Amino acid sequence: MTLQEIQEEIISEFDVFDDWMDKYEYIIDLGKELPIIDPLKKTDDRLIEGCQSKVWLDATVVDGKMQFTADSDAIITKGIIGLLIRVMNEQSPEAVATADLFFIQKIGLQEHLSPTRSNGLIGMVKKLKMSALQALNA
Amino acid sequence: MYLCTMMADETKKAFNVRAIREQFPALSQKIYNKNLIYFDNGATSQKPAMVLDAINQYYSKDNANIHRGVHFMSQHATTEYETARKTIQHYIHAKSSDEIIFTKGTTDGINLIASSYGELLTEGDEILITAMEHHSNIVPWQMLCQRKKLTLKVAPINLKGELITEEFDRLLTDKTKLVSVTHISNTLGTINPIAEIVKKAHAVGAKVVVDGAQSIQHMAIDVQALDCDFFVFSGHKVFGPTGIGVLYGKEALLEKMPPYQGGGDMIAKVTFERTTYNELPFKFEAGTPHIAGGICLGKAFEFLNGLDLQAIQTYEKEITEYAQDLLDTFEDLSIIGEAKHKTSVVSFSIKGIHPFDIGTLLDKQGIAVRTGHHCTQPLMDFFKIPGTIRASFAFYNTKEEIDTFIEAVDRSMNLLK
Ligand SMILES: Cc1ncc(COP(=O)(O)O)c(C=O)c1O
């Protein structure tokens, strides 16, 4: 699936919820599917400092496709990074670097993009894209 | 006559939460389709209609620059601004309105003292703070210490979140020139024994700064009874506007201190060779101040003057204990800050659950709390936690809200397990 299609898929999954708590329950569940980073790779250079929760992210390129693993000490953050990785995983570095992540707004998570929320969603997106750019320049 | 006074007292005493809530329009809104429960009063308080109306009145009718106009509007605004200063003076029981300096807030007040009073300190002098201070009562002193080669000492606290008296006494020496402590900890709710601290500090010749950011909202303040040398607070935490605050300082000290910033209003006479400064309080108020802020902060105190502070204090203590007792029944939940003397703040952490997760889920249930380090990172390091979930109450909060909050915490914990 393309990055576009995966985002459409996520949007339709979220469409069924009209209660915020149900939405977050689903996000929490998604966190459990997050491809977890090798604990040995939880080093400072892989740490994205959000103000409140910590996120570690590792990126590799296998056969020209991006592969991400991550973890966080907060469960909701794990769910959110899980969503991002679901969209970006197995995509080409070009696609990741130039991705327009319209699903964030559509499923109502844009509040996590505001700097005051500071849970590092902005940092996560930046880091995901930076790693794709590095892969391109490598 | 006697009957009249008694009746006035009765109306004041009849502390009625419903009636009070009606005066705070922000409280009756829905957030994510749920009735708002505002438990973030430690961060900032909501504003009563009386203050909101005053803001509107000022900008729609009274707007003029002060202290510099011959015209009617300027004189009117000046009178209002100076009346507010007097209202605040009386509220905190300062000797003179010259001791009330308008600032931007607590942070600004502490920086003013650090910059100006700091000029009077010399190499080797010591400043004593406590382990429960807000960053704004740490960093300005660190900066001053670097600039003037002074030493910053930190009095430790115990696991309940109380200042350890013996340690404080040990660190307070004749080298100590300034003691700066918070009246109430914004993270723990601990009420510090200010009058006692002042007595001890004065005995070694040190001056005392009280960070009143939290206490001004929750207790009657009498700076003369406390005998503190400085007392600072923010307007927005005491039902007034943001961007305005107060520095109280004893007149003799303020007289000795050099000006903080230069500009208009703070001068007596300017030539290119030499400038003489205005008298107090204007010496410390350079430039056009936050006029609307000052006037409306005065209104916030007029609002408080109409209430029975003693009754409020009792009520707030009661709801704080009510919340704390209910939270205590959760397994895996620990209350952070269990001082004998505490009020209005309940901080807690839950084993295995990140504060951010709880905070996010509470938000979705219409409940505003704060999560994180609350600008007290050294304190979090002391308790070895990344942060807490903090519910902080005001007199407009109710036990019913606390019940709903407890259910919401329970629901959130179940989701996150
Ligand atoms: C104890 C304490 N000190 C200082 C401050 C800083 O106040 P302000 O940001 O209004 O200057 C706060 C506010 O959070 C506080 O709670």
Side-chain angles (χ1 to χ4, degrees):
Chain A
M1 279 205 279
T2 65
L3 223 136
Q4 188 90 10
E5 288 163 347
I6 302 172
Q7 292 193 74
E8 300 287 358
E9 187 182 70
I10 293 174
I11 293 166
S12 66
E13 285 168 17
F14 273 83
D15 257 355
V16 303
F17 304 119
D18 46 17
D19 183 85
W20 276 97
M21 286 299 273
D22 296 338
K23 214 181 251 191
Y24 273 84
E25 191 168 358
Y26 188 56
I27 292 174
I28 290 166
D29 279 342
L30 290 173
K32 293 172 187 153
E33 291 162 25
L34 173 73
I36 294 291
I37 189 171
D38 177 351
L40 291 175
K41 287 187 170 173
K42 279 190 176 178
T43 49
D44 278 353
D45 56 323
R46 292 190 182 85
L47 182 65
I48 305 166
E49 287 269 17
C51 193
Q52 295 198 22
S53 54
K54 287 180 179 166
V55 177
W56 294 266
L57 178 77
D58 184 51
T60 49
V61 189
V62 179
D63 296 335
K65 306 275 186 211
M66 298 302 300
Q67 287 195 348
F68 297 104
T69 56
D71 200 2
S72 170
D73 56 352
I75 297 185
I76 291 172
T77 313
K78 245 165 119 165
I80 294 171
I81 183 96
L83 279 170
L84 286 173
I85 289 187
R86 183 167 147 202
V87 171
M88 311 269 219
N89 232 4
E90 297 294 331
Q91 304 291 340
S92 69
E94 293 88 344
V96 170
T98 59
D100 167 22
L101 299 171
F102 58 89
F103 82 100
I104 296 176
Q105 177 101 25
K106 277 274 162 53
I107 65 174
L109 292 187
Q110 67 275 15
E111 65 180 85
H112 294 283
L113 283 174
S114 92
T116 56
R117 260 332 242 231
S118 329
N119 69 337
L121 181 55
I122 297 182
M124 289 180 220
V125 173
K126 230 190 231 161
K127 188 104 174 189
L128 284 161
K129 292 194 166 192
M130 282 302 288
S131 57
L133 277 175
Q134 273 165 5
L136 276 178
N137 294 331
Chain B
M1 174 67 199
Y2 172 70
L3 194 66
C4 262
T5 335
M6 221 176 71
M7 275 171 60
D9 271 0
E10 282 307 305
T11 6
K12 244 189 153 183
K13 285 242 166 56
F15 176 71
N16 180 339
V17 186
R18 300 282 147 220
I20 283 187
R21 287 181 70 83
E22 275 169 22
Q23 302 185 54
F24 288 82
L27 295 177
S28 57
Q29 61 186 306
K30 292 207 182 275
I31 302 289
Y32 300 111
N33 253 330
K34 304 273 169 18
N35 290 328
L36 164 69
I37 294 182
Y38 187 77
F39 284 174
D40 197 16
N41 295 286
T44 197
S45 59
Q46 297 303 335
K47 322 300 172 203
M50 198 167 147
V51 169
L52 300 173
D53 291 346
I55 295 173
N56 193 28
Q57 159 82 16
Y58 175 78
Y59 283 116
S60 49
K61 192 155 172 286
D62 300 335
N63 174 49
N65 211 331
I66 55 171
H67 300 143
R68 45 179 91 165
V70 290
H71 60 82
F72 176 84
M73 283 169 74
S74 171
Q75 285 175 5
H76 179 65
T78 306
T79 307
E80 294 273 296
Y81 192 70
E82 292 309 320
T83 303
R85 198 190 300 274
K86 289 210 168 67
T87 306
I88 297 164
Q89 173 214 337
H90 294 308
Y91 189 89
I92 67 169
H93 301 279
K95 237 183 231 160
S96 147
S97 62
D98 291 347
E99 297 178 319
I100 305 297
I101 315 287
F102 280 118
T103 63
K104 288 188 288 193
T106 309
T107 306
D108 193 35
I110 295 175
N111 277 282
L112 189 160
I113 302 167
S115 289
S116 170
Y117 193 79
E119 275 310 304
L120 308 177
L121 302 180
T122 49
E123 186 167 345
D125 287 350
E126 293 183 1
I127 297 171
L128 180 57
I129 62 173
T130 81
M132 65 176 97
E133 299 308 322
H134 188 280
H135 293 166
S136 66
N137 196 23
I138 302 173
V139 185
W141 305 121
Q142 286 175 330
M143 291 163 68
L144 172 64
C145 285
Q146 250 179 1
R147 188 159 58 84
K148 303 278 291 185
K149 299 199 170 65
L150 318 177
T151 309
L152 187 64
K153 295 268 161 120
V154 184
I157 58 173
N158 62 25
L159 285 168
K160 283 182 170 170
E162 297 163 324
L163 194 59
I164 305 172
T165 311
E166 302 75 42
E167 292 291 315
F168 178 85
D169 294 351
R170 198 177 53 78
L171 290 167
L172 183 72
T173 68
D174 55 7
K175 281 195 186 152
T176 316
K177 291 296 173 299
L178 210 52
V179 176
S180 192
V181 278
T182 192
H183 200 171
I184 297 183
S185 156
N186 62 308
T187 307
L188 307 170
T190 309
I191 306 172
N192 279 316
I194 296 299
E196 206 179 293
I197 288 174
V198 170
K199 257 194 218 107
K200 289 177 187 168
H202 285 174
V204 299
K207 304 295 181 207
V208 178
V209 180
V210 177
D211 173 351
Q214 294 295 328
S215 61
I216 192 76
Q217 184 193 120
H218 298 293
M219 49 208 282
I221 301 295
D222 184 334
V223 289
Q224 290 188 72
L226 291 173
D227 198 26
C228 56
D229 301 283
F230 300 99
F231 187 96
V232 289
F233 64 87
S234 306
H236 68 93
K237 290 192 205 270
V238 60
F239 315 104
T242 52
I244 187 84
V246 166
L247 156 66
Y248 156 82
K250 282 184 182 163
E251 190 164 351
L253 283 176
L254 292 174
E255 289 289 2
K256 270 206 297 199
M257 288 158 57
Y260 174 42
Q261 292 176 327
D265 256 16
M266 55 77 72
I267 49 90
K269 183 169 170 49
V270 178
T271 65
F272 283 115
E273 290 70 38
R274 204 179 100 83
T275 292
T276 52
Y277 305 124
N278 204 340
E279 56 200 25
L280 287 173
F282 311 112
K283 181 172 95 175
F284 291 108
E285 295 180 357
T288 299
H290 186 359
I291 305 167
I295 294 174
C296 299
L297 179 55
K299 294 291 173 213
F301 281 106
E302 280 177 33
F303 172 78
L304 284 173
N305 278 332
L307 304 173
D308 178 345
L309 289 184
Q310 198 54 50
I312 285 176
Q313 231 166 293
T314 310
Y315 176 75
E316 287 182 346
K317 195 163 166 50
E318 187 183 318
I319 58 172
T320 306
E321 282 168 4
Y322 182 72
Q324 186 152 317
D325 289 346
L326 287 173
L327 284 168
D328 245 347
T329 60
F330 286 95
E331 239 180 275
D332 296 339
L333 184 152
S334 2
I335 308 276
I336 310 293
E338 297 183 288
K340 187 151 162 260
H341 299 289
K342 73 174 273 188
T343 192
S344 60
V345 171
V346 184
S347 255
F348 57 98
S349 65
I350 300 170
K351 206 167 138 205
I353 298 182
H354 198 285
F356 168 79
D357 287 327
I358 293 276
T360 305
L361 294 182
L362 289 178
D363 171 48
K364 296 299 172 286
Q365 298 169 84
I367 301 171
V369 294
R370 185 154 170 200
T371 65
H373 54 63
H374 318 295
C375 299
T376 52
Q377 279 176 359
L379 190 55
M380 297 297 98
D381 293 343
F382 173 73
F383 284 106
K384 300 192 176 59
I385 47 177
T388 75
I389 303 137
R390 180 188 73 180
S392 51
F393 310 110
F395 51 65
Y396 43 60
N397 291 128
T398 66
K399 284 190 181 169
E400 291 77 48
E401 286 181 314
I402 291 172
D403 291 338
T404 311
F405 162 71
I406 294 291
E407 282 166 30
V409 170
D410 190 37
R411 186 173 177 201
S412 311
M413 280 172 72
N414 286 332
L415 275 187
L416 293 165
K417 278 270 158 69

